[in-house]
Amino acid sequence: MKKVLVCGHRGFPAKYPQNTLPSFAGAIDAGCERIEYDLHWTADKHLVVCHNPTVDETSNGTGRIDGMTFEEIRKLDFGSWKDKKFANTPIPEFCELLDLTTSRNPDLFHLVELKVDSVEYAEAVLAELARYNMAGKFTLVSFHLDMLREIKKRHPEVLIHGNPRTAIKEFDYEEYRIFDSVGIRYDNLTAEIAAGFHSVDTQVDAWPVDTAEEFRIQRANGVDSVTSNDPETVIAERDK
């Protein structure tokens, strides 16, 4: 049976504040082969790691990231909402995350989710990844599939990972042949769907897979990887 790779979804959010350096360090320590994270642009074009376009849910501030400067957003606390012991955890700049991962595990594979539907923004992300010599160690992830297709035309060597809309349960697999991999919600995924993507040489990731039972189901479905909010639990089940 092939080894199913485990990806920390926004790091290790079951234990740490999501999309922060402690969360990614925790995912690495748990043994993840992969991590997933989300990138936004500040008003002054700093790439920062955060899931939502606003800071409201995961900080003590309010407002859109693209309407704030990096200096403004850096003053916010992105840890206390999870637990007081994470008080004053700042939002990571993309370069800080890459500094962490290259020092802690240079072989770690990155699922870099592009939250902004902009080729200019995607090119800025690629430039930063190139600065860290990350070729072959990442895939660009997005629900903006046309943007990913454009990036693949410009940079055929770059891996792309498409996230179809979560409501879709039937696929024209030929439309996805250009994608190196796809992410499918675990409750929509079947063995037949996984086989369909494999028929066009597209790997399949199930997300989010957070329990031992969910992992066993997805392994039986034939997925190549799972993305988890609780990678420690999933890795323990996989490595039994």
Side-chain angles (χ1 to χ4, degrees):
M1 184 177 292
K2 70 180 179 183
K3 182 177 182 178
V4 178
L5 301 177
V6 176
C7 175
H9 185 223
R10 310 176 199 171
F12 191 167
K15 284 192 174 182
Y16 304 91
Q18 61 173 272
N19 274 326
T20 63
L21 295 186
S23 189
F24 297 116
I28 293 170
D29 292 344
C32 290
E33 293 89 9
R34 300 175 159 204
I35 57 169
E36 182 271 351
Y37 48 85
D38 312 278
L39 295 176
H40 286 275
W41 245 351
T42 63
D44 50 351
K45 296 298 188 280
H46 284 254
L47 288 165
V48 293
V49 185
C50 189
H51 179 263
N52 294 338
T54 69
V55 301
D56 301 43
E57 183 181 2
T58 55
S59 84
N60 62 342
T62 61
R64 289 186 60 87
I65 293 172
D66 59 10
M68 309 169 76
T69 66
F70 180 67
E71 182 179 1
E72 289 169 335
I73 200 171
R74 190 67 157 183
K75 294 176 182 177
L76 300 178
D77 175 1
F78 280 79
S80 291
W81 68 271
K82 181 71 173 178
D83 192 292
K84 290 181 180 179
K85 67 184 177 182
F86 299 116
N88 300 316
T89 299
I91 194 171
E93 193 170 10
F94 187 26
C95 60
E96 292 175 317
L97 172 56
L98 294 175
D99 284 337
L100 172 74
T101 59
T102 53
S103 64
R104 295 284 289 272
N105 182 1
D107 295 324
L108 190 70
F109 191 81
H110 295 226
L111 277 71
V112 185
E113 182 156 353
L114 306 179
K115 305 298 282 190
V116 182
D117 190 5
S118 159
V119 172
E120 178 190 7
Y121 150 87
E123 292 283 8
V125 172
L126 286 175
E128 190 72 348
L129 289 162
R131 193 164 72 87
Y132 280 81
N133 299 311
M134 289 287 290
K137 298 179 182 179
F138 73 90
T139 184
L140 296 182
V141 180
S142 191
F143 286 94
H144 304 300
L145 302 187
D146 287 342
M147 179 181 64
L148 288 182
R149 292 184 179 101
E150 176 61 26
I151 291 297
K152 192 69 167 179
K153 291 176 184 177
R154 294 179 176 215
H155 306 280
E157 76 284 0
V158 171
L159 300 177
I160 60 171
H161 177 103
N163 282 339
R165 288 185 296 109
T166 55
I168 297 177
K169 297 183 180 181
E170 296 182 3
F171 302 90
D172 179 351
Y173 298 108
E174 282 298 326
E175 290 185 1
Y176 293 88
R177 186 179 288 276
I178 191 173
F179 293 95
D180 300 284
S181 55
V182 293
I184 306 295
R185 265 195 66 91
Y186 77 99
D187 47 358
N188 287 346
L189 190 54
T190 64
E192 290 74 22
I193 288 174
F197 283 109
H198 288 156
S199 73
V200 292
D201 297 322
T202 299
Q203 294 192 341
V204 179
D205 177 87
W207 65 271
V209 174
D210 297 336
T211 68
E213 181 181 3
E214 288 169 359
F215 176 78
R216 290 192 294 270
I217 292 169
Q218 296 309 327
R219 180 167 56 190
N221 282 338
V223 300
D224 303 283
S225 62
V226 297
T227 295
S228 178
N229 295 304
D230 189 359
E232 192 171 59
T233 294
V234 170
I235 289 170
E237 175 63 24
R238 181 195 66 184
D239 293 349
K240 275 183 179 180

